[in-house]
Amino acid sequence: FVVADKPPTVVAHHSSWTYTRSDPRRRWKEPTPMLQRVRDETRKRVNLIHRLDRGASGALLFAFAQDNNSENSEKASCSITKALIEAMQSKDATKTYLALCDGDGMWNGADYLNKGWFTFDNPVQDENGKYIEDCRTDFQFIASKTMPLKEGDADEGRKITIVLARPHTGRYHQIRQHLSSGTLGHAILGDSSHGRSRTNRLWKKKYNLMKERVCLHLIRLQVPATDYTDDIDVLSPLPPDLKKMLRIFP
């Protein structure tokens, strides 16, 4: 297997969203997908074990596919890929994300900064708008910062909170929907689907938020051993754009 650091605004692989290979509308404009980047870097075929949203970043796990075309080699490749996918989906696997959110750690009278780790299980919507009940995420609100209000500035977009998230289930935009919910009220900065458009525009203009960036980073990936692989425990360093945004913290 191999673990790669996915940068923001890069897709994990091409899909119908990026159109077909011959379609001039979008695909030629997309940065090279991670699947192709890892293949070119390792000079081996690889299979994607999990995905990250286009605007997110962090650790991305791949399984090596065999280079020859023998039947046994193909079966072994499929077995390793299947085993890693099952391990990733097991209760012993942990994905720890770091998110930069719009807010100060307080919402509707709740002080989340002093709450420690807690589990949040509100339903989320799938791609078609249907509500899914079984979805759980552990959160810990780490620190917050409120920028000083300057003359002529709006009060909006001055607050930022660092949040750690560990999803137990893998629903559509689960972490993003949970944080932006009416219960937690801390949408991830840059989230155009579930966040606040005006706030995102202000952060792009004043505080170094990248275009098409969702401030969500898979910082640690822990996967239990399989019949083919040992335990996996890797850290993905914060990318330069998030480090630049975090310079506002003392």
Side-chain angles (χ1 to χ4, degrees):
F1 67 88
V2 61
V3 180
D5 284 322
K6 176 192 169 306
T9 73
V10 176
V11 295
H13 63 94
H14 273 314
S15 66
S16 59
W17 186 84
T18 56
Y19 300 104
T20 62
R21 188 178 298 274
S22 60
D23 195 320
R25 290 178 294 173
R26 184 182 196 104
R27 187 164 182 168
W28 67 271
K29 299 179 181 179
E30 286 289 323
T32 303
M34 289 303 298
L35 190 66
Q36 183 177 337
R37 293 185 185 204
V38 174
R39 182 199 66 191
D40 292 346
E41 185 69 24
T42 62
R43 297 186 179 181
K44 294 182 179 180
R45 292 188 297 118
V46 291
N47 297 323
L48 193 62
I49 302 302
H50 69 114
R51 293 168 177 79
L52 292 172
D53 293 339
R54 182 178 183 273
S57 56
L60 201 57
L61 177 62
F62 299 82
F64 283 120
Q66 299 299 314
D67 289 326
N68 58 60
N69 296 320
S70 71
E71 183 177 351
N72 289 338
S73 174
E74 190 69 25
K75 288 181 178 179
S77 172
C78 291
S79 297
I80 295 170
T81 299
K82 181 181 178 181
L84 282 172
I85 290 174
E86 291 175 349
M88 176 75 78
Q89 295 173 345
S90 75
K91 62 180 180 61
D92 296 319
T94 303
K95 292 189 285 186
T96 303
Y97 292 82
L98 182 144
L100 302 185
C101 301
D102 175 26
D104 60 2
M106 300 285 295
W107 186 255
N108 288 338
D111 181 2
Y112 291 109
L113 285 171
N114 291 309
K115 196 175 179 66
W117 282 102
F118 65 94
T119 300
F120 191 75
D121 59 1
N122 277 23
V124 299
Q125 291 179 294
D126 65 13
E127 298 93 326
N128 300 312
K130 179 182 178 181
Y131 278 97
I132 306 298
E133 296 288 340
D134 182 21
C135 44
R136 292 171 293 118
T137 311
D138 290 343
F139 289 109
Q140 184 178 27
F141 283 55
I142 300 298
S144 69
K145 172 79 173 181
T146 300
M147 271 66 77
L149 183 62
K150 299 179 181 180
E151 185 177 353
D153 281 355
D155 187 58
E156 186 177 2
R158 296 190 303 118
K159 302 172 182 178
I160 181 173
T161 297
I162 302 172
V163 180
L164 295 181
R166 291 174 177 164
H168 293 279
T169 49
R171 309 305 182 192
Y172 175 71
H173 290 182
Q174 179 174 312
I175 296 174
R176 295 163 61 177
Q177 291 193 64
H178 274 172
L179 282 169
S180 65
S181 68
T183 305
L184 296 184
H186 280 70
I188 298 176
L189 292 170
D191 190 342
S192 60
S193 299
H194 312 288
R196 304 174 181 94
S197 298
R198 176 175 167 82
T199 299
N200 292 336
R201 288 195 297 270
L202 289 171
W203 274 87
K204 289 173 184 175
K205 181 179 179 180
K206 299 174 64 175
Y207 301 117
N208 303 307
L209 175 62
M210 284 178 59
K211 183 181 178 181
E212 300 182 331
R213 171 53 141 150
V214 177
C215 295
L216 184 66
H217 180 78
L218 180 50
I219 197 168
R220 187 177 185 183
L221 179 63
Q222 298 165 277
V223 184
T226 71
D227 291 338
Y228 309 95
T229 58
D230 294 330
D231 290 337
I232 299 172
D233 190 348
V234 293
L235 296 174
S236 175
L238 286 178
D241 72 298
L242 293 189
K243 288 182 179 179
K244 190 174 183 180
M245 291 179 66
L246 287 171
R247 288 176 186 169
I248 62 174
F249 282 86

